[in-house]
Amino acid sequence: MAALATLSDVQARLTRTIASGETARVRALIDDASAAIITESGQDVIRAETEARLMTRNINRELVVVLPQRPVNSITSVADINGNAVTYVWDGATKLTLTSSADTVHSDTLDRSLRYVDVTYDHGYDDANDTRNVLGTVAGVVANVVARAFGTPAEETGKTAETIGPYSYSIGAGAAQGGFGLMSSEWKAIKRALGRRRAGTIQL
């Protein structure tokens, strides 16, 4: 999985300089937080080309496929699971309407035979198409999570209060989040930037 923030992003949010001996831990935390966001959101975020096996849906008598990764930048190919080309109409967003394949003639046959198709497509954000600064928003969230976790020893994560004899103390919920826990405001920012997760993909 791609790292969604850099060492510089984290450094900008810390009140002290990251020492050379600490960079390995910070990079590991960046990877942890990035993986958590990618897994939970279902979005790879960084621009890439993916081949995925997707389940078809029969909607209003049309056989369609909804591409799970966003934004969709271009379609490279669509084929059935035997490698036969499938023709389609792309709506310019995330929906492909399938029209025919090499071994089908009638639409009713197409509906029965194509439960899955293999789609290769270009998706995600880079400097060329990130008009809403999605990459910056995600990097900011990841960097804040890492900065918070960097100051919290792993054995202390999840702890909000402790009592020793007559003494007790409590810590904020932010520090208790741990290595890649996101607070509700951070998840809201991620959801606004990336949208809701979609199902129906078998990664190839």
Side-chain angles (χ1 to χ4, degrees):
M1 291 184 177
L4 301 181
T6 66
L7 198 64
S8 296
D9 292 328
V10 177
Q11 179 63 81
R13 290 159 176 82
L14 290 174
T15 57
R16 68 173 180 83
T17 302
I18 299 172
S20 58
E22 298 171 323
T23 58
R25 179 170 181 246
V26 173
R27 292 186 190 282
L29 290 171
I30 290 172
D31 289 342
D32 287 345
S34 299
I37 288 173
I38 291 170
T39 299
E40 185 63 25
S41 69
Q43 296 297 302
D44 293 341
V45 186
I46 303 297
R47 188 165 184 171
E49 185 175 78
T50 294
E51 181 184 3
R53 180 159 293 174
L54 303 171
M55 181 179 291
T56 62
R57 305 176 188 180
N58 197 321
I59 301 176
N60 296 327
R61 297 185 178 180
E62 292 184 326
L63 200 62
V64 304
V65 170
V66 177
L67 303 174
Q69 295 294 329
R70 302 180 299 274
V72 178
N73 302 310
S74 62
I75 311 297
T76 302
S77 65
V78 180
D80 64 24
I81 61 174
N82 297 312
N84 300 307
V86 175
T87 60
Y88 61 90
V89 175
W90 176 34
D91 70 349
T94 60
K95 187 176 79 171
L96 301 180
T97 301
L98 308 181
T99 55
S100 68
S101 66
D103 59 350
T104 59
V105 177
H106 303 293
S107 61
D108 58 341
T109 306
L110 180 65
D111 290 353
R112 290 198 302 269
S113 62
L114 285 180
R115 292 188 59 197
Y116 294 93
V117 290
D118 296 336
V119 182
T120 302
Y121 64 112
D122 182 292
H123 57 82
Y125 295 94
D126 61 11
D127 292 338
N129 69 349
D130 190 14
T131 57
R132 297 189 298 116
N133 193 34
V134 170
L135 293 176
T137 298
V138 174
V141 171
V142 170
N144 277 308
V145 171
V146 171
R148 182 167 64 240
F150 182 59
T152 307
E155 63 272 16
E156 297 293 323
T157 59
K159 184 185 295 183
T160 57
E162 185 173 13
T163 300
I164 303 175
Y167 303 101
S168 65
Y169 73 95
S170 61
I171 61 175
Q177 292 295 321
F180 48 83
L182 271 72
M183 294 186 291
S184 61
S185 60
E186 293 166 337
W187 270 125
K188 287 178 181 178
I190 291 296
K191 289 176 182 177
R192 282 196 299 268
L194 300 181
R196 290 184 294 178
R197 183 173 186 170
R198 296 179 184 271
T201 304
I202 302 173
Q203 202 68 38
L204 298 177

